[in-house]
Amino acid sequence: MPKLDLSQIPFQGGSGYPGKLAEAGAGRFVQRLGDAGGLTQYGVNMVRLEPGGLSSLRHYHMEQDEFAIVIGGTCTLIDDQGEHQMQPGDCATFPAGEANGHHLINTTDAPTTFLVVGTRTPTETGYYSDIDMMVKQDATGSAFTRKDGSPLTADQIGDTNE
Amino acid sequence: MPKLDLSQIPFQGGSGYPGKLAEAGAGRFVQRLGDAGGLTQYGVNMVRLEPGGLSSLRHYHMEQDEFAIVIGGTCTLIDDQGEHQMQPGDCATFPAGEANGHHLINTTDAPTTFLVVGTRTPTETGYYSDIDMMVKQDATGSAFTRKDGSPLTADQIGDTNE
């Protein structure tokens, strides 16, 4: 039925980032609402950030619109313009192709929850703002490389642009 | 910037329904968040229902996924299975092509707000469950007809299937 039974949709941890970058996902737990309800055209996730948690490494999408609304607690949106405090009800939009790397971080001592929506597209390219990494996604999965397309190596992961 | 200035995005009333059916939109006000933030791949609207208000006439979409989450107040989801109470945080999904007519109504004496997401597609067909009406949408706009494609007339609008 259309109304979701939220008690049956777990918050899941984990990260798809390669190597030590996966540590960035340590304080992040995702409840996949859209998937649970049979939606395929966009993803809808409730995300809980524990204190110190990050929504993602700071990034932007080339092909996918992204929307977020804070549901509970306080978090900080960081983008190319700086830091922006986000309270419950505050919203942010990240249009596809807009090269403004962003993420949400929880610098408080209580959990934050936000709802995030992202289009599902056949292919996608994402760029990470603070490290030399990009991701290409297609039906076969995700491939992380340096921004020139060369492979990440253990010593490269975590390199900054500086 | 990505964070929306909600004070600058008005809640707008009005209805696109033909004839006397437009009265169904009397208690509904929509804040177009996605449009304000430059999103094009899906719509994101905050909807306020005053007491007695309806989200829409009961309908389903053939091509567009729809998602809703209650933000404030209490409302009632009505679909083919009956009535479902919706509290803040409760979510519902309506996958494209699933022939389960639905809407949200506010039977309380206080406003309800919910966030709703719907895919933007080049074309769309929607069917109304309680009256003999369908809508086809494309780049030129929306066309409401009876379900057999014949024109609505003044005496037909509001006809039930019974």
Side-chain angles (χ1 to χ4, degrees), chain B residues 136-151:
Chain B
K136 285 189 173 284
Q137 298 177 312
D138 61 23
T140 68
S142 297
F144 292 90
T145 65
R146 295 181 77 114
K147 289 173 184 167
D148 65 4
S150 65

Side-chain angles (χ1 to χ4, degrees), chain B residues 112-150:
Chain B
T112 297
T113 54
F114 63 89
L115 186 88
V116 61
V117 181
T119 320
R120 297 264 165 83
T121 51
T123 61
E124 168 63 346
T125 301
Y127 293 102
Y128 294 88
S129 304
D130 300 318
I131 56 175
D132 184 10
M133 187 168 80
M134 62 186 286
V135 61
K136 285 189 173 284
Q137 298 177 312
D138 61 23
T140 68
S142 297
F144 292 90
T145 65
R146 295 181 77 114
K147 289 173 184 167
D148 65 4
S150 65

Side-chain angles (χ1 to χ4, degrees), chain A residues 3 40-41 63 65 85 119, chain B residues 3 40-41 65 85 119:
Chain A
K3 182 178 174 180
T40 60
Q41 298 172 351
E63 301 185 42
D65 279 355
Q85 292 305 305
T119 320
Chain B
K3 183 178 174 181
T40 60
Q41 297 172 351
D65 278 355
Q85 292 305 305
T119 320

Side-chain angles (χ1 to χ4, degrees), chain A residues 9-158:
Chain A
I9 311 171
F11 278 88
Q12 299 173 303
S15 166
Y17 291 135
K20 65 181 181 183
L21 296 177
E23 296 167 9
R28 172 178 170 271
F29 299 88
V30 176
Q31 190 183 35
R32 300 186 183 283
L33 301 175
D35 287 349
L39 303 187
T40 60
Q41 298 172 351
Y42 46 83
V44 184
N45 293 331
M46 189 68 75
V47 181
R48 187 179 76 239
L49 297 182
E50 297 295 335
L54 318 177
S55 61
S56 63
L57 296 171
R58 202 161 71 86
H59 72 286
Y60 57 91
H61 294 282
M62 293 306 292
E63 301 185 42
Q64 298 176 346
D65 279 355
E66 192 177 357
F67 173 87
I69 179 170
V70 177
I71 301 295
T74 299
C75 60
T76 305
L77 166 63
I78 299 183
D79 70 0
D80 287 355
Q81 277 71 57
E83 300 190 0
H84 316 277
Q85 292 305 305
M86 301 284 286
Q87 308 289 339
D90 281 341
C91 299
T93 56
F94 309 101
E98 200 162 282
N100 181 3
H102 56 272
H103 63 175
L104 295 167
I105 67 172
N106 182 358
T107 63
T108 76
D109 56 7
T112 297
T113 54
F114 63 89
L115 186 87
V116 62
V117 181
T119 320
R120 297 264 165 83
T121 51
T123 60
E124 168 63 346
T125 301
Y127 293 102
Y128 294 87
S129 304
D130 300 318
I131 57 175
D132 184 10
M133 187 168 81
M134 63 186 285
V135 61
K136 285 190 173 284
Q137 298 176 314
D138 62 22
T140 66
S142 298
F144 292 91
T145 64
R146 296 182 77 116
K147 288 173 183 167
D148 65 4
S150 65
L152 296 170
T153 60
D155 63 303
Q156 287 171 322
I157 294 170

